[in-house]
Structure formats: C-alpha cells, structure tokens
C-alpha cells in the first residue's frame, strides 16, 4: 500500500471499516448470529468503497469490497498441491465400520477404545485454501489430488470464506481444506429462477455447486448461494496447532471459518454407530445434502502413527448412507388422473434400490417436464428419492439410449373415462374434462374428503374407496353417508366388525367444523389455511357461497386465482347439489366465530420450537394466526417472539443470541387467554 499521500485518519478509518465488515461477515455467514443491522453494514461498505475510490492505493486483495469484481478468466490455471489431497475409504455397514476400528487398534497394538471425530460428509466440492500471513492467497480444486485448478476469483465471492483471518496466532502459512456446497434452500431457489426463465435446471445441489465454481466469470459465481465448511488443514508452516482434530477445527472456527455444527466426539466405535443412526434420522431435516458420516481418529499423534495407504488415510473412513440417486431403465409411461382431473405421466421403472427402498414408479409431473428431460421410453434414467419425497426422474443418460427408444405420447382422451383431455393455456398440466363423471376424479375427491385433515373418516382408506367406486356402491361424497351394512359386509376382505366401525366413523365425522368441511370439498387451490381464512371471514357457508370474486379477494391470502376457483366451484349445479345432500345427511358444524377487526398480533412473526405439552403444535399455530400473527419455521431478526418447549435446540439458542422474547407454553396459554382465546 502506498501510504504516503493518505491522511492518517483515513488509514485508521479504513482499518476500522475492514474490521467491522469482516466481523459482521463472520457473525452472519460463519456463526449464523448476525449482529450488525443490514443497513449499518451497507453504510460501512459504501463508506469503504468511497474511500477506496478516493485513494485507490488503499484497495488490497483482502478488502471486504473485493469479493466480486474480478475480470472473467479465459481459462483456469493449474495448481500443484504440495501435500496431496487424499480421498477416503468407505464403509457400508456397521460390521465394516467395526472392521475399520479393529484394524486401527491392531495397528496401534492397543486394546483401548479409540476416540473418533464424527462429521457429516458434505456432498459438495473439495477445495484447498492457502492463507499467507492470514490473507487468502489461493483457492484450488482437488483435481486428481495432486494437481487441481486455481479458482481463487470464484471462491473469494463466497461470504463464508474469510479473505483475512481474524486475530490470533495464525501460522504464517496455513492451508485449510473443506467442502464448498450449495444448501438445499438456495438450490431450490436457483432452480425456481432457472425454471421461470426457461433455462436448464441443475440436477442436484452438488452439480449446481460444481457448475458454479467452474464459471470463468466470477460475477456468475457471486450470484450462486455457495457455502464453505472446513474439515482439515493441509500445509502448515510456523505456529502450533492443537493435538486433537476437533480442537484444530475449533481453532479454525475462531480464525474465521465455518465448521459443521453437527461435529461431535465419539469415545469409541459404538458411539460412532449411534451417531451414524441419529444423523441418518436427521438427514432430511439438515439444510444441506450429506452422503454419509466421516469418522476420523481424533488424536493427531495417533493419525501420524497410522499413516496412509495408497490415496487414503488409515485413520479415517466414510460410512455411507444409502444412495439417494440411482440409475435404472424407463420401461413405460402411464397416465394417472388426479382429483382435479390433472393427467400426470408416471414412469414405470425397472425396480431399483434407492434412498433405502425399492422404487418402481416415479412421477414425470407433466408435458413440460418430459420435454425438459428429453426422456424417451427405453432410456436409462437417474432416479432420486430423498426422504419421504416421491421419487423423481432427474435426468437421462443419453449415451445409453437404445435404438428403439420411443417418444412419450400424451393421450388426448382420458385413460379412465375417455373424456377429452384439455390443455389449459398458461398451465403445464393437461386435464381430463370429465369432472365427476370420471371415476378417477371421483375416487380422488372421495379420498380427499375422507382424509385426516378433512372429514377425518377413520378406516376409509384409499383401497376401500377404490373398491367402493369400482363396485358401483359409491358415486359421490354424499353417497358415503348412505352406505349400508349389508352392502359393505358383502365386499371382499370386509368383516362385519370393520363394516360397523366404518359406519360409526362416518356417523362421527358428521360433527365437523366449517374450515374442515370447506377443505374437504376439494376446491382447487383451497388448502387448509385458505379454508380457515374463508370460514373465518364469512362466518357461515351461505355467505361464502354467495360471495363474488371481489368479495372473496377481501379474505386474507386470497388473490384473483383462488377467488376465481372458489366462485366457480359454487356456481356449478352439481356441487350445490352435493353440498345440499351432505347437509341433508346430517353434516353440521358450530357457527364460526367471525373474525372481527381484533388482531392484536397483526404484523408479528412467531416461531414455535421444542415440544408443547398442553396444546398441539397446530392448535398453537392456529390460535396465534387467529390473533393475526404469522407463524414461521425459523428464527431471524424479524421474529417477534419465540415459544420454546422442552427439547428446544438451535432455534432457542438463536433467539437468545438475538435477544428475542421467549415464552414457555404456560406463558403462551396465558397470553392467548388474555386475548380472548378459550383453551
Ligand atoms: S476428510 C484425508 N471430511 O469427501 C481426509 N472429507 O473422499 C480427506 N468430504 O472429496 C477428506 N465431507 O471433499 C473429509 N467432513 C469431511 C468431508 C469430506 C466431505 C469429501 C471430501 C473428499 C471426499 C473424500
């Protein structure tokens, strides 16, 4: 830096601004506990930019203004890793993990339990970050382990990558290694944008992260929601590091790096197996993809004694989870008709074990999706099944396309009732125009009507509905209330007791609430929340049935589209007949308390966390919403109050860090009662 012509107070201020901004980044992106308000951050950044414009010699590579802005490259240059970047051995069962532990103890000639560090294996891209005197000098991909590519310009744009390390005794040369990944939420948002723009979608977060780092123009990378999480050190010169792996990571965290908050120490291999199970259960809820757990001998001296074989250390292994993506063959495509007539193509697959279950069907969504995938019958496809989400076809392996692969043809008549299939302009879905003539739509409408959140008819499962419709015993939802014992008993696999139970359940379901009844009707776009808002706004069914689209749009969260569907539903004579028939059958509900202007919690966002004991979570949510509050799933500076029950974890911690009001369940109930809610 040429400091000759720069006033001392400017130099001091610039150093101060670096410090403020670096700390704010660290709080926000590494520790997840923002402290500086956004507006203040922006003011500081602008002040720094202005000073740097005035005194260009103040611009250093570690300045917080230097995250974006580098010119596009024409190619990446190669980087040699002084210490090779290794890979990991895998284990696929408890036995294989125990073998790993046994080999270690044999080699150490020890009967004692070995302590392990446990870390989720993030599914991203391995990187090496080289810091000289605490300043980021170079970032590189792993490549073949010996030679990678220089991606410094791209990596600088990631806010959780410190450009300069926080104070402390940082070794003059420090190479840190970790994973760059894209969190699930950012990935979904990125693909939503790509879909809206008609661009090609990314197959999964890992590919999206890899593609983002491979950009020659860092401005593109800067727009991608990437994260860094570090998991080891490489080359270290000068300075001392702790003797346990987990302590090294804690030290890296203090220097400014993000480490995995799930990291734990296990006292022996059994504790590792426990950890693997627990994280497996949590896998879907984690905000990022993981494909296994990495177990590492925690003692660095023991790691050194154990050394390496070929390209992997003896002291670490990755215990993999069942793969969430597999390859299989698309045998055929069939078309299913849903409750609203939507005709959905369903892929029939050669059975494949993925995400822990055998999958032989996957949804193809609609015509646009088929076009986007470019998939043909006979193709080899990649199937993804994550958690309880229905299996998806994510891509086609075009190199394996057989000569006799054939195009998927969309039917122009309903495969169930033969009514014409109509495409709605501006919509990707095609619909059977048969309405309730179509037995497929009828079945779905009845299943929905009977479901738990609707009329909650115990014992009326999907299979039974299908049987009743197929046997000609049931033609409409109101028909449910005219089913007779003899006819039910005559059904295959139906005993007298279950038939009577079903009739009792039907009788019981007649006592309902207006929101549940509205939801049960299956009006398009009217989910539980909208049904609740409609019921509360109008108070009674007749008023709602007479409302025009303008009146409907006065209801919270009801826009023109929903208003149109609601009005249209109540215009159709057969819907009115059904409602009348249901009322005749004895369906009743208490008058709904109409929502007055009284919304004392309007504008507030509340978060519920931990276990509630008196109220159920949905009751608590419902009451809060009645008083005008929004109920959100995560804590931020915008949260008004957090309700925490036993077992509350990170959300409660965050609330404390942000100094937000926290109520326990008792206090919540007192507050609700005070505002007129009867509990
Ligand atoms: S340790 C010598 N820890 O898994 C140890 N690797 O095959 C080398 N990975 O590409 C890696 N999470 O990028 C380690 N907590 C973690 C990891 C992790 C993900 C990736 C790593 C590498 C691959 C190892």
């Amino acid at each position: 830096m040429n400091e000759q012509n720069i006033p001392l107070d400017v130099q001091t201020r610039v150093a101060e601004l670096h410090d403020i901004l670096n700390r704010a980044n660290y709080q926000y992106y590494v520790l997840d506990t923002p402290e500086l308000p956004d507006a203040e951050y922006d003011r500081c950044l602008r002040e720094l930019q202005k000073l740097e414009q005035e005194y260009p010699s103040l611009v250093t590579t570690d300045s917080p203004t230097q995250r974006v802005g580098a010119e596009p490259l024409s190619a990446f240059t190669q980087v040699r890793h002084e210490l090779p970047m290794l890979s990991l051995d895998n284990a696929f069962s408890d036995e294989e993990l125990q073998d790993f532990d046994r080999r270690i103890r044999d080699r150490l000639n020890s009967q004692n339990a070995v302590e392990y560090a446990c870390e989720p294996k993030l599914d991203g891209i391995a990187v090496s970050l080289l810091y000289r005197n605490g300043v980021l000098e170079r970032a590189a991909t792993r490549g073949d382990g010996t030679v990678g590519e220089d991606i410094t310009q791209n990596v600088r744009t990631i806010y959780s990558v410190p450009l300069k390390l926080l104070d402390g005794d940082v070794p003059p040369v420090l190479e840190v290694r970790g994973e760059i990944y894209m969190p699930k939420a950012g990935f979904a948002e990125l693909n939503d944008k790509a879909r809206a723009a008609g661009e090609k979608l990314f197959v999964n977060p890992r590919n999206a992260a890899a593609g983002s780092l491979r950009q020659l123009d860092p401005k593109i990378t800067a727009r991608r929601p990437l994260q860094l999480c570090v998991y080891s050190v490489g080359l270290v010169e000068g300075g001392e590091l702790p003797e346990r792996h987990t302590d090294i990571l804690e030290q890296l965290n203090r220097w400014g790096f993000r480490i995995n908050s799930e990291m734990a120490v296990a006292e022996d291999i059994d504790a590792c197996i426990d950890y693997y199970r627990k994280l497996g259960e949590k896998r879907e809820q984690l905000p990022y993809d993981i494909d296994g757990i990495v177990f590492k001998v925690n003692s660095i001296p023991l790691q050194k004694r154990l050394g390496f074989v070929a390209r992997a250390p003896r002291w670490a292994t990755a215990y993999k989870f069942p793969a969430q993506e597999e390859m299989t063959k698309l045998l055929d495509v069939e078309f299913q008709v849903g409750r609203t007539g939507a005709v959905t193509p369903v892929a029939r697959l050669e059975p494949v074990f993925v995400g822990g279950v055998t999958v032989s069907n996957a949804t193809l969504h609609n015509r646009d999706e088929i076009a986007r995938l470019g998939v043909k019958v006979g193709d080899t496809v990649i199937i993804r099944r994550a958690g309880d989400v229905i299996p998806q076809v994510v891509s086609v392996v075009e190199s394996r396309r057989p000569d006799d692969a054939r195009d998927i043809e969309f039917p122009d008549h309903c495969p169930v009732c033969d009514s014409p299939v109509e495409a709605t302009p501006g919509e990707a879905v095609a619909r059977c125009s048969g309405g309730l003539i179509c037995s497929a739509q009828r079945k779905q409408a009845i299943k929905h009507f009977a479901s738990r959140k609707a009329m909650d008819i115990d014992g009326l499962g999907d299979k039974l509905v299908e049987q009743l419709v197929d046997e000609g015993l049931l033609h409409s939802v109101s028909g449910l209330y005219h089913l007779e014992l003899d006819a039910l008993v005559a059904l295959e696999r139906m005993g007298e007791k279950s038939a009577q139970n079903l009739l009792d359940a039907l009788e019981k379901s007649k006592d309902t609430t207006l929101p549940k009844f509205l939801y049960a009707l299956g009006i398009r776009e009217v989910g539980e929340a909208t049904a609740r808002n409609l019921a509360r706004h109008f108070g009674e069914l007749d008023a709602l049935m007479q409302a025009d689209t303008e009146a409907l749009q006065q209801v919270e969260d009801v826009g023109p589209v929903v208003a149109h569907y609601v009005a249209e539903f109540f215009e159709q004579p057969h819907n009115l007949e059904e409602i009348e028939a249901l009322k005749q059958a004895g369906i009743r509900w208490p008058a709904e308390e109409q929502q007055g202007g009284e919304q004392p919690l309007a504008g507030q966002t509340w978060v519920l966390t931990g276990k509630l004991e008196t109220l159920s979570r949905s009751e608590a949510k419902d009451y809060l919403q009645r008083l005008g509050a929004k109920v959100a799933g995560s804590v931020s500076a915008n949260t008004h109050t957090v309700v925490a029950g036993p077992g509350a974890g990170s959300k409660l911690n965050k609330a404390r860090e942000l100094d937000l009001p926290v109520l326990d369940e008792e206090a919540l109930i007192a507050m609700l009662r005070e505002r007129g809610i009867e509990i």
Side-chain angles (χ1 to χ4, degrees):
M1 206 192 301
N2 169 8
E3 291 172 359
Q4 270 169 352
N5 311 325
I6 302 172
L8 202 60
D9 58 335
V10 171
Q11 288 182 37
T12 316
R13 180 62 182 155
V14 164
E16 211 170 72
L17 288 168
H18 277 207
D19 205 45
I20 294 171
L21 291 165
N22 281 338
R23 278 198 186 271
N25 277 340
Y26 179 63
Q27 299 280 0
Y28 191 96
Y29 293 101
V30 176
L31 302 180
D32 283 333
T33 53
E35 271 181 8
L36 199 67
D38 289 358
E40 182 59 22
Y41 182 92
D42 291 342
R43 265 194 296 279
C44 290
L45 189 65
R46 271 198 306 271
E47 186 185 342
L48 180 60
Q49 280 164 338
K50 218 170 130 238
L51 289 173
E52 288 181 347
Q53 256 164 24
E54 222 169 306
Y55 305 96
S57 63
L58 284 172
V59 182
T60 53
T61 54
D62 64 334
S63 165
T65 62
Q66 298 305 296
R67 291 224 173 245
V68 227
E71 289 303 312
L73 299 171
S74 52
F76 295 112
T77 46
Q78 293 202 326
V79 167
R80 177 168 287 275
H81 300 296
E82 223 160 291
L83 292 178
M85 289 182 78
L86 302 167
S87 61
L88 288 169
D89 252 352
N90 292 322
F92 292 95
S93 65
D94 292 357
E95 290 68 41
E96 286 181 23
L97 191 65
Q98 276 153 343
D99 288 345
F100 158 77
D101 176 62
R102 198 163 307 120
R103 284 196 302 274
I104 285 178
R105 284 184 295 129
D106 285 351
R107 213 171 169 87
L108 294 173
N109 238 328
S110 153
Q111 296 310 308
N112 298 339
V114 175
E115 180 182 277
Y116 292 99
C118 319
E119 300 162 13
K121 185 167 185 295
L122 292 167
D123 208 2
I125 307 300
V127 288
S128 144
L129 307 172
L130 186 65
Y131 289 81
R132 207 174 288 276
N133 300 320
V135 175
L136 175 66
E137 180 172 279
R138 189 203 70 194
T141 60
R142 173 169 181 270
D144 63 5
T146 313
V147 177
E149 283 178 326
D150 186 327
I151 52 165
T152 314
Q153 303 292 33
N154 289 344
V155 169
R156 301 175 68 80
T157 67
I158 302 170
Y159 279 88
S160 43
V161 174
L163 298 179
K164 183 179 185 344
L165 300 184
L166 301 175
D167 322 310
D169 260 338
V170 183
V173 175
L174 175 68
E175 184 200 354
V176 179
R177 293 174 177 181
E179 199 85 352
I180 289 179
Y181 63 98
M182 191 177 287
K184 291 177 191 169
F187 169 73
E189 218 173 287
L190 185 67
N191 261 357
D192 284 347
K193 279 192 205 142
R195 197 176 292 117
E199 291 164 9
K200 213 168 153 47
L201 304 190
F202 289 104
V203 171
N204 56 36
R206 198 195 111 83
N207 284 21
S212 302
L213 286 179
R214 228 180 283 120
Q215 298 294 330
L216 289 166
D217 182 356
K219 291 201 177 60
I220 299 179
T221 313
R223 290 196 293 267
R224 302 285 171 81
L226 297 174
Q227 275 277 21
L228 166 75
C229 176
V230 303
Y231 52 64
S232 70
V233 291
L235 188 66
V236 182
E237 283 173 12
E240 286 283 305
L241 287 178
E243 297 236 301
R244 281 163 96 224
H245 173 74
T246 43
D247 293 338
I248 296 180
L249 294 194
E250 300 285 359
Q251 177 61 66
L252 291 177
N253 185 229
R254 287 190 292 275
W255 282 333
F257 296 97
R258 200 181 171 93
I259 56 174
N260 198 298
S261 57
E262 303 293 339
M263 181 175 82
V265 175
E267 60 183 12
D268 58 15
I269 203 70
D270 290 337
C272 291
I273 293 173
D274 266 1
Y275 179 93
Y276 174 85
R277 292 259 181 293
K278 291 216 177 81
L279 239 80
E281 282 164 21
K282 226 173 143 179
R283 184 181 183 189
E284 284 323 303
Q285 278 87 55
L286 293 176
Y288 41 77
D289 272 352
I290 62 175
D291 56 358
I293 304 293
V294 184
F295 295 107
K296 301 172 182 168
V297 171
N298 207 16
S299 151
I300 303 293
L302 288 188
Q303 284 187 5
K304 289 194 176 131
R305 270 176 62 193
L306 288 159
F308 305 87
V309 244
R311 312 193 44 77
R314 284 201 189 86
W315 41 264
T317 195
Y319 187 0
K320 294 298 214 48
F321 289 129
Q324 292 182 318
E325 284 183 10
E326 283 295 350
M327 225 157 50
T328 189
K329 243 177 115 161
L330 176 62
L331 302 176
D332 200 3
V333 175
E334 283 169 20
F335 293 86
Q336 272 177 2
V337 184
R339 174 162 62 84
T340 57
V343 178
T344 307
V346 179
R348 301 284 176 229
L349 306 164
E350 206 162 81
V352 60
F353 192 72
V354 54
V357 299
T358 302
V359 166
S360 43
N361 301 313
T363 177
L364 282 165
H365 298 285
N366 53 49
R367 202 190 289 262
D368 288 1
E369 176 76 355
I370 291 178
R372 184 181 76 70
L373 290 165
V375 61
K376 295 176 187 241
V377 174
D379 268 339
T380 295
V381 291
I382 293 172
I383 302 298
R384 179 175 173 85
R385 181 188 177 273
D388 294 332
V389 181
I390 46 172
Q392 315 276 327
V393 176
V394 291
S395 61
V396 174
V397 188
E398 275 179 38
S399 58
R400 299 203 180 193
R401 174 165 290 163
D403 291 339
D404 61 351
R406 63 181 159 84
D407 285 338
I408 297 166
E409 274 178 49
F410 242 78
D412 44 21
H413 282 82
C414 173
V416 178
C417 72
D418 210 34
S419 303
V421 168
E422 289 167 355
T424 330
E427 250 190 26
V429 279
R431 287 176 201 279
C432 158
S433 58
L436 292 179
I437 300 166
C438 176
S439 69
Q441 293 189 47
R442 239 182 304 141
K443 283 177 187 170
Q444 299 303 331
I446 298 169
K447 287 179 197 170
H448 173 78
F449 184 83
S451 63
R452 204 173 46 80
K453 291 175 182 166
M455 302 300 284
D456 194 14
I457 306 172
D458 233 10
L460 186 62
D462 290 0
K463 284 266 168 325
L464 184 54
V465 171
E466 282 173 26
Q467 209 180 353
L468 289 165
V469 173
D470 290 339
E471 301 275 325
L473 292 176
L474 192 55
H475 302 279
S476 61
V477 286
S478 63
L480 282 169
Y481 295 97
H482 301 290
L483 288 172
E484 286 176 359
L485 190 65
D486 296 350
L488 287 174
V489 173
L491 286 173
E492 222 175 293
R493 291 190 303 273
M494 175 71 89
E496 178 146 356
K497 189 152 182 338
S498 12
Q500 188 55 52
N501 285 347
L502 176 60
L503 291 181
D504 293 346
L506 279 160
E507 197 53 40
K508 190 166 150 240
S509 75
K510 289 180 182 172
D511 270 312
T512 184
T513 65
L514 182 54
K516 282 182 170 239
F517 181 71
L518 286 177
Y519 173 66
L521 291 177
I523 306 167
R524 263 176 77 185
E525 299 292 330
V526 177
E528 268 182 296
T530 309
R532 198 179 322 109
N533 292 343
L534 287 168
R536 252 180 237 142
H537 184 91
F538 290 101
E540 47 173 318
L541 182 60
D542 288 338
L544 166 61
M545 287 170 70
Q546 267 132 44
D548 58 15
T549 49
E550 214 164 291
L552 287 163
Q553 285 183 61
Q554 303 304 310
V555 179
E556 200 191 326
D557 286 339
V558 173
V561 175
V562 180
H564 166 78
Y565 287 138
V566 174
E568 187 184 57
F569 183 89
F570 291 118
E571 271 163 23
Q572 311 232 345
H574 65 261
N575 288 336
L576 301 181
E577 282 161 27
E578 267 303 280
I579 291 172
E580 192 47 39
L582 287 166
K583 288 208 276 191
Q584 288 299 324
I587 304 236
R588 59 198 163 240
W589 51 83
E592 192 68 16
E593 218 170 288
Q594 216 168 333
Q595 200 169 53
E598 273 293 317
Q599 291 216 308
L601 308 187
Q604 302 180 1
T605 303
W606 287 55
V607 173
L608 301 168
T609 178
K611 214 171 132 51
L612 298 183
E613 278 155 347
T614 310
L615 299 175
S616 73
R617 203 171 254 252
S618 68
E619 279 170 336
K621 188 171 166 186
D622 191 64
Y623 293 143
L624 288 168
Q625 286 173 340
R626 264 200 233 173
L627 297 175
K630 278 211 157 59
V631 179
S634 62
V635 176
S636 73
N638 294 328
T639 308
H640 185 277
T641 302
V642 174
V643 178
S650 61
K651 291 183 197 173
L652 177 58
N653 291 338
K654 191 144 180 200
R656 293 215 172 105
E657 278 155 15
L658 293 172
D659 213 13
L660 299 172
V662 176
L663 299 185
D664 62 10
E665 187 177 9
E666 203 179 323
L668 169 71
I669 292 175
M671 184 283 293
L672 292 170
R673 286 196 171 129
E674 224 168 81
R675 286 168 176 72
I677 302 244
E678 281 176 36
I679 296 170

